[in-house]
Amino acid sequence: MEKVDVPPFEFLNSEPGGTYFFLNNYLDFDKAEVKKILNWVEEGNTVFLAASYFSESLRDTLQLETSTLIPGGNFTSRPYVSLVNKKLQQSNAWHFDHDVNLEYFSRIDTLKHTILGVGSLKEYRSQEEAYPLFLHSEWGKGNIYIHSFPEAFSNYFLLKEDNYKYAEGVLAYLDNKGPVYWDRYYKTGKKFHTSPLYILLNNRALKWAYYFILIGAVLFIIFEGKRKQRPVPVVEPLKNQTYEYSRTIADLYLEQKQYKALALKKIDHFYDYIRTRYRIFSAWQEEKTLRELSQKSGHSIEDINDLRALFTDISRKPEISKEELRELNEKIDSYKQ
């Protein structure tokens, strides 16, 4: 057996004769590879394809369609497989005791394909109750064998009881006269490396050049970035100095003994407070306004009338004393508590 690590399109350029063996969970051949493989088979060679999924170009060329067998009421998918040839079928059916999807050929050309193996999700009495899994087709002078249940060649299946006899029966159809080419290019988890880094790290000179580039990049980021960094000044937010300003103005009025001017400003400020706090915009002369202010501030109407009278008295006097200013301030503050 010869292991092949290159694509079929490249390998078949040397035109070796024998049997080309493909085994994987999927075989995604493109149109060029399908044509190359079938031309090689047509010359008298054999190809064996075992996969759960086959590329559309291959299925179209061979006029095949595949489907997945849906599990029954117990929702388990543990297939039974068997061979059509009675000489190779040594038991009723071999059982795969593990849940796995069962792909089968839902459309075949019976004039071109011969059913060699069948399968089902339950034990069957006759092979007519099963579904085709293993087909043979003559292509020119050669042969094509296609199998839709690759799990039958896994260790889990082969090492249980006499399941290996099923694989023996399948492989008995292959011609053992010529060499067998085992494909590893399409094998899932292939061991050969395709990354460019593998080439770099496998060469000592290239590897150290790669390391020096990485070290240089890190040093550039550390030192060059630090050199260009500038301190960010802390911008203090502007302070609200309204209170300090108002206090300075009030001290100025008190120092110059302008008590009435300060009292009038206190009264204007109280009117603004009434509008913003209690949402009262009407004049004090209205009875409705007095009741609304009484309800919202918690003061009686008599207290409000006394405050209003004090406002009027201060407004009419040419000058007021410091005691009158203090009395006005105390009454206004009582509404702000």
Side-chain angles (χ1 to χ4, degrees), residues 68 94 99 106 166 172 218 264 272 289 294 308 311 323 330:
T68 303
W94 288 283
D99 284 328
S106 56
Y166 174 80
V218 172
L264 293 177
D272 181 70
T289 304
S294 174
R308 186 175 63 172
F311 287 173
E323 287 73 18
E330 291 176 354

Side-chain angles (χ1 to χ4, degrees), residues 266 310 324-334:
K266 294 277 293 182
L310 181 60
E324 290 176 312
L325 178 61
R326 184 180 293 109
E327 179 186 0
L328 173 66
N329 186 65
E330 291 176 354
K331 288 191 175 183
I332 288 177
D333 287 346
S334 66

Side-chain angles (χ1 to χ4, degrees), residues 129-184:
E129 300 176 1
Y131 301 85
L133 303 179
F134 183 30
L135 303 178
H136 167 252
S137 177
E138 293 182 356
W139 197 269
K141 299 178 182 179
N143 296 284
I144 299 174
Y145 296 94
I146 184 166
H147 198 290
S148 64
F149 188 59
E151 289 81 2
F153 303 96
S154 64
N155 287 338
Y156 186 89
F157 180 77
L158 295 176
L159 298 179
K160 185 173 181 181
E161 299 178 355
D162 63 343
N163 287 353
Y164 67 91
K165 295 180 179 179
Y166 174 80
E168 286 182 352
V170 172
L171 299 179
Y173 285 98
L174 302 182
D175 185 5
N176 58 1
K177 294 180 180 179
V180 176
Y181 304 104
W182 177 269
D183 173 75
R184 294 203 306 180

Side-chain angles (χ1 to χ4, degrees), residues 18-45:
T19 300
Y20 209 161
F21 197 99
F22 293 87
L23 174 62
N24 198 30
N25 55 343
Y26 68 92
L27 293 175
D28 196 13
F29 299 134
D30 57 24
K31 291 183 179 180
E33 279 186 325
V34 170
K35 184 178 180 181
K36 191 82 170 181
I37 292 172
L38 295 182
N39 287 341
W40 180 75
V41 172
E42 195 172 21
E43 295 174 359
N45 300 300

Side-chain angles (χ1 to χ4, degrees), residues 270 273-274 277-278 284 293 297 299-300 303-305 307 330-337:
F270 179 75
Y273 176 79
I274 294 297
R277 173 67 184 276
Y278 299 122
W284 283 39
L293 180 59
S297 65
H299 290 72
S300 64
D303 291 341
I304 297 174
N305 283 328
L307 180 63
E330 291 176 354
K331 288 191 175 183
I332 288 177
D333 287 346
S334 66
Y335 284 83
K336 298 181 180 180
Q337 295 177 355

Side-chain angles (χ1 to χ4, degrees), residues 206-237:
L206 294 177
K207 177 176 69 174
W208 281 106
Y210 178 69
Y211 287 160
F212 279 125
I213 291 174
L214 292 180
I215 295 171
V218 172
L219 293 176
F220 177 83
I221 293 173
I222 294 175
F223 293 103
E224 188 70 8
K226 185 177 181 180
R227 187 181 69 82
K228 291 187 176 181
Q229 186 175 0
R230 296 290 182 270
V232 179
V234 178
V235 180
E236 296 289 343

Side-chain angles (χ1 to χ4, degrees), residues 243-277:
Y243 176 76
E244 287 78 4
Y245 175 77
S246 301
R247 188 178 183 84
T248 301
I249 297 299
D251 291 341
L252 181 64
Y253 277 106
L254 289 174
E255 185 179 350
Q256 296 181 1
K257 297 183 179 180
Q258 297 183 12
Y259 302 129
K260 180 177 179 179
L262 185 57
L264 293 177
K265 292 189 179 297
K266 294 277 293 182
I267 293 172
D268 291 340
H269 184 267
F270 179 75
Y271 285 149
D272 181 70
Y273 176 79
I274 294 297
R275 287 192 293 270
T276 56
R277 173 67 184 276

